[in-house]
Amino acid sequence: MKFINLYLLAVTTILFVNCSSKQEVTTLKDAYKNDFYIGTALSADQIEEKNIKVDSLIQKEFNAITAENIMKSMFTHPQKDKYDFALSDKFVAYGEKNKMFIHGHTLIWHSQLAPWMEKIADSTEMKAFMKDHITTIVSKYKGRIKSWDVVNEALNEDGTLRKSVFLNTLGEQYLVDAFKLAEKADPKAELYYNDYNIEEPAKRAGAIALIKKIKEAGGKVDGVGIQGHWRLQSPSLEEIEKSILEYSALGIKVAFTELDITVLPNPWDLKGADVNQNFEGSAKMNPYPKTLPDSVQTQLAARYASIFKLFLKHKDKISRVTFWGVYDKQSWLNDWPIKGRTNYPLPFDVNLEHKPAYDSILKLKKTVE
Ligand code: XIL
C-alpha cells in the first residue's frame, strides 16, 4: 500500500512538472525553438565575453549569432595581402561552444569596405579580389559558418542596382560571380542576399528580379535576408506579409536578419539603414534621454507582438529572426542616423532587464501552445 502511494505521488509529480513546464516558456530561444532561430548580433566585446552578465543573457536567450561588425571586409581583409581572423575565429568558436547557429555577415558590401578595395578601378583586379576574398573566407569556415550574407545592399530604393565599386568595375555579373564563388568554397553553406527596405514594393521587385537573375545564371541562392530596421508605424504588416509570400514563392527561405524598431523621431522621414547617412542632433531629436515613457513602451510591445504574430503565421517560410544587438545599450540606433541619442529598439533594456516588448513576444507562444 505504502509502495502504491509513493508510486502515485511520483507519477503525479512527473505529470505536474511536465504540465507546468509546458506553460513555463522562459526564454526567447526556447519559446520559438520549433519555429525559427532567434538570433542576435554580437559586438567585439561580446565575442570576447568581456561582461559575464551580458554573456549569460546571450546564452540564455539566443540560439543564432551574427557578428555586428568584425566580419566586415575592413576588419577581416584590411590590406590586399593581409587577412585578420583573430576575432572571427573567436566568434565562430563562441558559437560552437554554445551550440549556436552561426551566420556570416558579410562578404560583398560597399560599406565598411577596406580603403584599398574602394580604390580598385579595373575589372581584372576586381575579379581577382572577389575570388580571393570570398574563397579565402568561406573556405576557412567551411562547415562551421552555416549561412552567409554573400551580397549586402546591392539595390537602390527604386529597385535598380546601386552604383557600387563592384557594379562599376564588373557590371551586374558580379552578383552571379559572388554566389558561384561562395558555393564553390562551401557547397553546403546557405547563401543569402541581404538588404534593408526590401519589404517596400519597388525595392522588393528589384530584389526579386536580382535573385531570379542570379538563379537563372546558375548561382545558388538559398534565402533572402530582410534586415528589418523598422519603425513603430511602418512598414505595414501587409507589406511584410506580401514580402514573405513573394520571396518564398521563389523557392527560397526568408530570414529577418537585423531586426530593431526605432522609437525616435526620424530626420527627413528617413527609412532604411544606409550607414553613410548622418544628421545633426538636437534636443527635439532626442526626446527620451533618460527613460522611455510608458505610452511608447506599450506601443513598442504591441508592434513587436504584431510582427512576431505574423512571423509565427509564416514560420514554415522563415528560417531565422535575428535582433540587431543584445540590448538597448549596445544598439547602433543610439548613434545612427544621429550621434549620441538614447534609443530603445530591442527587447532588453540598458540594464539587461526584459522590456514589455520581450514579454509580448514570449506571451504569443504561451497562448499559442
Ligand atoms: C551597423 C553596425 O551595427 C554599426 O555598429 C556600424 O557602425 C555600422 O553598421 N546594415 C547592415 C549592418 O548590414 O552591417 C549595419 O550594422 C546596419 C545596417
Side-chain angles (χ1 to χ4, degrees), residues 195-216:
D195 209 334
Y196 61 84
N197 280 352
I198 51 168
E199 65 284 345
E200 299 286 339
K203 200 164 179 183
R204 187 199 316 153
I208 289 172
L210 179 153
I211 292 165
K212 277 189 176 161
K213 260 192 202 160
I214 298 172
K215 286 179 131 205
E216 277 158 18

Side-chain angles (χ1 to χ4, degrees), residues 210-256:
L210 179 153
I211 292 165
K212 277 189 176 161
K213 260 192 202 160
I214 298 172
K215 286 179 131 205
E216 277 158 18
K220 178 173 89 96
V221 184
D222 299 292
V224 65
I226 299 175
Q227 290 186 3
H229 295 293
W230 289 338
R231 297 149 299 278
L232 285 172
Q233 315 295 348
S234 66
S236 69
L237 294 177
E238 289 72 27
E239 294 304 341
I240 301 171
E241 182 163 37
K242 272 192 209 158
S243 304
I244 298 172
L245 295 171
E246 288 180 24
Y247 287 123
S248 97
L250 299 175
I252 59 173
K253 295 180 181 176
V254 181
F256 292 87

Side-chain angles (χ1 to χ4, degrees), residues 68-69 72 105 109 112 152-153 227 258 275 324 332:
E68 185 181 357
N69 283 300
K72 293 168 181 174
H105 175 77
W109 187 28
Q112 292 180 285
N152 197 30
E153 303 180 356
Q227 290 186 3
E258 305 183 14
V275 296
W324 203 239
W332 76 303

Side-chain angles (χ1 to χ4, degrees), residues 247-292:
Y247 287 123
S248 97
L250 299 175
I252 59 173
K253 295 180 181 176
V254 181
F256 292 87
T257 55
E258 305 183 14
L259 185 60
D260 51 21
I261 297 169
T262 180
V263 299
L264 297 185
N266 217 347
W268 305 345
D269 269 335
L270 185 73
K271 280 184 185 170
D274 184 339
V275 296
N276 302 310
Q277 286 177 310
N278 287 290
F279 302 85
E280 282 299 312
S282 68
K284 199 172 137 236
M285 284 296 174
N286 189 25
Y288 321 122
K290 296 261 172 327
T291 51
L292 187 63

Side-chain angles (χ1 to χ4, degrees), residues 92 96 100-102 137-148 182 185-190:
V92 174
E96 288 178 339
M100 291 162 163
F101 182 89
I102 306 171
I137 300 175
V138 177
S139 324
K140 176 166 169 63
Y141 296 112
K142 184 175 177 182
R144 301 174 72 198
I145 290 191
K146 304 290 182 194
S147 62
W148 280 101
D186 185 354
K188 289 203 185 124
E190 296 194 339

